[in-house]
Every structure is written in C-alpha cells, then in structure tokens.
Amino acid sequence: QVQLVESGGGSVQAGGSLRLSCAASEVIYSRYCVAWFRQAPGKERAGVAALYGSESTFYADSVKARFTISQDIAENRVYLQMNRLSPEDTAMYYCAATSRAPGPACAPPLISTEFRFWGRGTQVTVSS
C-alpha cells in the first residue's frame, strides 16, 4: 500500500503563492492516479487537481489558471503549485491516490470515494 505524506502548507496573504508536495512511498508514475483534494470547515471535501501518467487530467473550475499539478517521477513526488491565492482557498489539502482503474478515477468529476490511499493533509490559510 502506498503511503502519502503532504507538506508545504502554511499561512500566506491573498495574492501569494504556495507549493504543496506529496511524497509517495513507492513508484506512482503511470500506476496511480494522484489527486489533490481540499476541505474547508463546514464544507465537503472537493477535488482540486489530478494527474495520471504524464498528464494532468482535472482542475476544479475555481483553480484553473492559478494552480498547477506536476510531478517529479524520480522522486515519486506530486506537487501543487498554487498562485494568486485567495481566502476562499483556505482549507486542509489532502493528497490521494488510487491504482484501481486510475484512468477513470482521474477523469472528471473527481470523486473522493474512488481514492483508496490518503495522506493526513496540510493546512493552507490565506488571509485577506
């Protein structure tokens, strides 16, 4: 079972940037769909971005053109570069992965119940 560990969260002012990192315990390239989800207080967990193989497969409308998902294949890491952050981006961010039907899992809509493996999350707080 792959283990996922997120890092890179923190507190920033609106307009700032953060880069989240998800470190996997095994090779994930072309084996897993890897996605970022986020959950704000009082809200449901929602998909942010996903990646399978060498291509990003999903971005939530609210983050398009601001967030970029990428990977370091050699390091088994997936990143989420977040630019032009706003207070609405404040949430706990989770990395998730699945090797069961990774292609369909990575396709829109991104459904959290299709992901078997989860990290513990990293908090992102954006102040106005």
Side-chain angles (χ1 to χ4, degrees), residues 92-115:
M92 183 71 79
Y93 283 71
Y94 297 91
C95 179
T98 183
S99 59
R100 182 172 56 199
C106 254
L110 215 60
I111 302 173
S112 61
T113 54
E114 294 186 351
F115 288 80

Side-chain angles (χ1 to χ4, degrees), residues 22-92:
C22 172
S25 61
E26 62 182 65
V27 172
I28 53 176
Y29 179 69
S30 290
R31 296 180 59 197
Y32 290 85
C33 167
V34 181
W36 287 96
F37 288 82
R38 66 185 181 185
Q39 187 167 20
K43 295 187 177 181
E44 293 186 357
R45 191 169 296 187
V48 176
L51 180 148
Y52 176 52
S54 59
E55 296 185 1
S56 59
T57 59
F58 174 87
Y59 286 104
D61 288 342
S62 60
V63 308
K64 285 180 181 177
R66 298 190 300 124
F67 290 12
T68 303
I69 190 169
S70 64
Q71 65 183 318
D72 184 324
I73 297 173
E75 295 292 326
N76 296 325
R77 285 182 178 267
V78 173
Y79 299 100
L80 185 68
Q81 177 66 43
M82 306 186 296
N83 299 326
R84 304 201 309 275
L85 285 161
S86 72
E88 289 70 34
D89 297 314
T90 294
M92 183 71 79

